[in-house]
Coordinates of all heavy atoms in Angstrom, one line a residue:
I9 N 103.7 93.6 103.0 CA 104.9 94.2 102.3 C 104.4 95.2 101.3 O 103.6 95.0 100.5 CB 105.8 93.1 101.7 CG1 106.3 92.1 102.7 CG2 107.0 93.7 100.9 CD1 107.1 90.9 102.2
G10 N 105.0 96.5 101.5 CA 104.5 97.6 100.7 C 103.3 98.3 101.3 O 102.4 98.8 100.7
S11 N 103.4 98.3 102.6 CA 102.2 98.7 103.5 C 101.9 100.2 103.3 O 100.9 100.6 103.7 CB 102.5 98.4 104.9 OG 103.7 99.1 105.4
T12 N 102.8 101.0 102.8 CA 102.5 102.4 102.6 C 102.1 102.7 101.2 O 101.9 103.9 100.8 CB 103.8 103.3 102.9 OG1 104.9 102.8 102.2 CG2 104.1 103.2 104.4
G13 N 102.1 101.7 100.3 CA 101.7 101.9 98.9 C 100.2 101.9 98.6 O 99.4 101.9 99.6
K14 N 99.9 102.0 97.3 CA 98.5 102.1 96.9 C 97.7 100.9 97.4 O 96.6 101.0 98.0 CB 98.4 102.3 95.4 CG 98.9 103.6 94.9 CD 98.8 103.8 93.4 CE 99.7 102.9 92.5 NZ 101.1 103.1 92.7
T15 N 98.2 99.7 97.1 CA 97.4 98.5 97.5 C 97.7 98.2 99.0 O 96.7 98.0 99.8 CB 97.9 97.2 96.7 OG1 99.3 97.0 96.9 CG2 97.5 97.4 95.3
G16 N 98.9 98.3 99.5 CA 99.2 97.9 100.9 C 98.5 98.7 101.9 O 98.0 98.2 102.9
G33 N 105.1 96.4 106.5 CA 106.4 96.0 105.9 C 106.8 97.1 104.9 O 106.7 96.8 103.7
A34 N 107.3 98.2 105.4 CA 107.9 99.2 104.5 C 109.2 99.6 105.1 O 109.5 99.1 106.3 CB 107.0 100.4 104.3
R35 N 110.0 100.4 104.5 CA 111.3 100.7 105.0 C 111.3 101.5 106.3 O 112.2 101.4 107.1 CB 112.1 101.4 103.9 CG 112.5 100.6 102.7 CD 113.0 101.3 101.6 NE 112.1 102.3 101.0 CZ 112.3 103.1 100.0 NH1 113.5 103.1 99.5 NH2 111.4 103.9 99.6
S36 N 110.2 102.3 106.5 CA 110.2 103.1 107.7 C 109.3 102.5 108.8 O 108.9 103.1 109.7 CB 109.6 104.4 107.4 OG 108.3 104.3 106.7
F41 N 111.0 96.6 106.6 CA 111.3 95.5 105.6 C 111.8 96.3 104.3 O 111.2 97.3 103.9 CB 110.0 94.8 105.2 CG 110.2 93.8 104.0 CD1 110.5 92.5 104.3 CD2 110.2 94.3 102.7 CE1 110.8 91.6 103.3 CE2 110.4 93.3 101.7 CZ 110.7 92.0 102.0
D42 N 113.0 95.8 103.9 CA 113.6 96.5 102.7 C 114.1 95.4 101.7 O 114.9 94.6 102.1 CB 114.8 97.3 103.2 CG 115.4 98.2 102.1 OD1 115.2 97.9 100.9 OD2 116.0 99.2 102.5
W43 N 113.5 95.5 100.5 CA 113.9 94.5 99.5 C 115.4 94.5 99.2 O 116.0 93.5 98.8 CB 113.2 94.8 98.2 CG 111.7 94.4 98.2 CD1 110.7 95.2 98.2 CD2 111.2 93.1 98.2 NE1 109.5 94.5 98.2 CE2 109.8 93.2 98.1 CE3 111.8 91.8 98.1 CZ2 109.0 92.1 98.1 CZ3 111.0 90.7 98.1 CH2 109.6 90.8 98.1
D44 N 116.0 95.7 99.4 CA 117.5 95.8 99.2 C 118.3 95.4 100.3 O 119.6 95.5 100.3 CB 117.8 97.2 98.7 CG 117.1 97.6 97.4 OD1 116.9 96.7 96.6 OD2 116.7 98.8 97.3
Y60 N 101.3 89.5 102.6 CA 101.0 90.1 101.3 C 102.3 90.6 100.7 O 103.1 91.3 101.4 CB 100.1 91.3 101.5 CG 99.8 92.1 100.2 CD1 99.1 91.6 99.2 CD2 100.4 93.4 100.1 CE1 98.8 92.3 98.0 CE2 100.1 94.1 98.9 CZ 99.4 93.5 97.9 OH 99.1 94.3 96.7
S62 N 103.9 92.8 97.7 CA 103.9 93.6 96.5 C 105.4 94.0 96.4 O 106.0 94.5 97.3 CB 103.0 94.8 96.7 OG 103.5 95.8 97.6
Y63 N 105.9 93.7 95.2 CA 107.3 94.0 95.0 C 107.5 95.4 94.5 O 106.7 96.0 93.8 CB 107.8 93.0 93.9 CG 109.4 93.1 93.8 CD1 110.2 92.5 94.7 CD2 110.0 93.7 92.6 CE1 111.5 92.6 94.6 CE2 111.3 93.8 92.6 CZ 112.1 93.2 93.5 OH 113.5 93.4 93.5
F64 N 108.7 96.0 94.8 CA 109.0 97.3 94.4 C 110.3 97.3 93.6 O 111.3 96.7 94.2 CB 109.0 98.3 95.5 CG 109.2 99.7 95.0 CD1 108.1 100.5 94.7 CD2 110.4 100.3 94.9 CE1 108.2 101.8 94.2 CE2 110.6 101.6 94.4 CZ 109.5 102.3 94.1
P65 N 110.5 98.0 92.5 CA 109.5 98.8 91.8 C 108.5 97.9 91.0 O 107.3 98.3 90.8 CB 110.2 99.7 90.9 CG 111.6 99.3 90.9 CD 111.8 98.2 91.9
D66 N 109.0 96.8 90.4 CA 108.1 96.0 89.6 C 108.8 94.6 89.4 O 110.0 94.5 89.4 CB 107.9 96.6 88.2 CG 106.8 96.0 87.4 OD1 107.1 94.9 86.8 OD2 105.7 96.5 87.3
L67 N 108.0 93.6 89.2 CA 108.5 92.2 89.1 C 109.4 92.1 87.8 O 110.1 91.1 87.7 CB 107.4 91.2 89.1 CG 106.7 91.0 90.4 CD1 105.5 90.1 90.3 CD2 107.6 90.5 91.5
A68 N 109.3 93.1 86.9 CA 110.1 93.0 85.7 C 111.5 93.5 85.9 O 112.3 93.4 84.9 CB 109.4 93.8 84.5
L94 N 101.0 90.0 94.6 CA 100.5 90.9 93.6 C 101.4 90.9 92.4 O 102.6 91.1 92.4 CB 100.5 92.4 94.2 CG 100.1 93.5 93.2 CD1 98.7 93.3 92.7 CD2 100.3 94.9 93.7
S95 N 100.7 90.6 91.3 CA 101.4 90.4 90.0 C 100.7 91.3 89.0 O 99.7 91.9 89.2 CB 101.3 88.9 89.7 OG 101.7 88.7 88.4
G96 N 101.4 91.3 87.8 CA 100.8 92.2 86.8 C 100.4 91.4 85.6 O 101.0 90.3 85.2
R97 N 99.3 91.8 85.0 CA 98.6 91.0 83.9 C 99.4 91.1 82.6 O 99.9 92.2 82.2 CB 97.3 91.7 83.7 CG 96.3 90.7 83.1 CD 94.9 91.3 83.5 NE 93.9 90.6 82.6 CZ 93.3 91.2 81.6 NH1 93.6 92.4 81.2 NH2 92.4 90.5 80.8
E99 N 102.5 90.0 81.8 CA 103.9 90.3 81.9 C 104.7 89.0 82.1 O 104.4 88.3 83.1 CB 104.1 91.2 83.1 CG 103.7 92.6 82.9 CD 104.0 93.5 84.2 OE1 105.2 93.4 84.7 OE2 103.2 94.2 84.7
A121 N 97.0 91.7 88.5 CA 96.1 92.9 88.3 C 96.3 93.5 86.9 O 97.4 93.6 86.4 CB 96.3 93.9 89.4
A122 N 95.3 94.1 86.4 CA 95.3 95.0 85.2 C 95.8 96.4 85.7 O 96.1 96.6 86.9 CB 94.0 95.1 84.6
W123 N 96.0 97.3 84.8 CA 96.5 98.6 85.0 C 95.6 99.3 86.0 O 94.4 99.3 86.0 CB 96.3 99.3 83.6 CG 97.4 100.4 83.4 CD1 98.6 100.2 82.9 CD2 97.2 101.8 83.6 NE1 99.3 101.3 82.7 CE2 98.4 102.4 83.1 CE3 96.2 102.6 84.1 CZ2 98.6 103.7 83.2 CZ3 96.4 103.9 84.1 CH2 97.7 104.5 83.7
F124 N 96.3 100.0 87.0 CA 95.6 100.5 88.2 C 94.9 101.9 87.8 O 95.6 102.8 87.3 CB 96.5 100.8 89.3 CG 97.1 99.7 90.0 CD1 98.1 100.0 91.0 CD2 96.9 98.4 89.7 CE1 98.7 98.9 91.7 CE2 97.5 97.4 90.3 CZ 98.4 97.6 91.3
A125 N 93.6 102.0 88.2 CA 92.9 103.4 88.1 C 93.7 104.4 88.9 O 93.8 105.6 88.5 CB 91.5 103.2 88.5
N127 N 96.7 104.9 89.4 CA 97.8 105.5 88.8 C 97.5 107.0 88.4 O 98.4 107.9 88.5 CB 98.3 104.8 87.5 CG 98.8 103.4 87.7 OD1 99.3 103.2 88.8 ND2 98.7 102.6 86.7
E130 N 96.9 108.7 92.6 CA 97.8 108.5 93.6 C 99.2 108.2 93.1 O 100.2 108.2 93.9 CB 97.4 107.4 94.6 CG 96.1 107.7 95.3 CD 95.5 106.4 96.0 OE1 96.3 105.6 96.5 OE2 94.2 106.3 95.9
Y132 N 102.0 107.8 89.5 CA 102.9 108.7 88.7 C 102.1 109.6 87.7 O 102.8 110.5 87.1 CB 104.0 107.9 88.0 CG 103.5 106.9 87.0 CD1 103.7 107.2 85.7 CD2 102.8 105.8 87.3 CE1 103.3 106.4 84.7 CE2 102.3 105.0 86.3 CZ 102.6 105.2 85.1 OH 102.1 104.3 84.0
V156 N 92.1 99.8 92.6 CA 92.9 99.3 93.7 C 92.1 98.9 94.9 O 92.5 97.9 95.6 CB 94.0 100.3 94.0 CG1 94.8 99.9 95.3 CG2 95.0 100.5 92.9
Ligands
LIG301 N1 100.5 100.4 88.8 C1 99.9 99.5 88.1 O1 99.1 99.8 87.2 C2 100.2 98.0 88.4 C3 99.5 97.0 87.7 C4 99.7 95.7 88.1 C5 100.7 95.4 89.1 N2 101.4 96.4 89.7 C6 102.4 96.1 90.7 O2 102.1 96.8 91.9 C7 103.3 96.8 92.7 C8 103.4 98.1 93.4 O3 102.3 98.1 94.4 P1 101.6 99.4 94.8 O4 101.2 100.2 93.7 O5 100.6 99.1 95.9 O6 102.8 100.2 95.5 P2 103.2 101.7 95.4 O7 102.0 102.6 95.6 O8 104.0 101.8 94.2 O9 104.2 101.9 96.7 C9 105.4 101.2 96.8 C10 105.6 100.5 98.1 O10 106.8 99.8 98.1 C11 107.5 100.2 99.2 N3 109.0 100.2 98.9 C12 109.6 101.1 98.0 N4 110.9 100.7 98.0 C13 111.1 99.7 98.8 C14 112.2 98.8 99.2 N5 113.5 99.0 98.8 N6 111.9 97.8 100.1 C15 110.7 97.6 100.6 N7 109.6 98.3 100.3 C16 109.8 99.3 99.3 C17 107.0 101.6 99.5 O11 107.2 101.8 100.9 P3 108.3 102.9 101.5 O12 108.8 103.8 100.4 O13 107.5 103.5 102.6 O14 109.4 102.0 102.0 C18 105.6 101.4 99.2 O15 104.9 100.8 100.3 C19 104.5 96.6 91.7 O16 105.0 95.3 91.9 C20 103.8 96.6 90.4 O17 104.4 95.8 89.5 C21 101.2 97.7 89.4

Side-chain angles (χ1 to χ4, degrees):
I9 296 177
S11 56
T12 54
K14 293 186 286 302
T15 57
R35 289 169 299 177
S36 57
F41 178 93
D42 190 334
W43 284 110
D44 297 327
Y60 173 71
S62 71
Y63 188 74
F64 187 86
D66 191 281
L67 293 172
L94 173 63
S95 168
R97 204 159 165 256
E99 288 183 46
W123 214 84
F124 295 175
N127 291 335
E130 299 167 33
Y132 67 108
V156 170

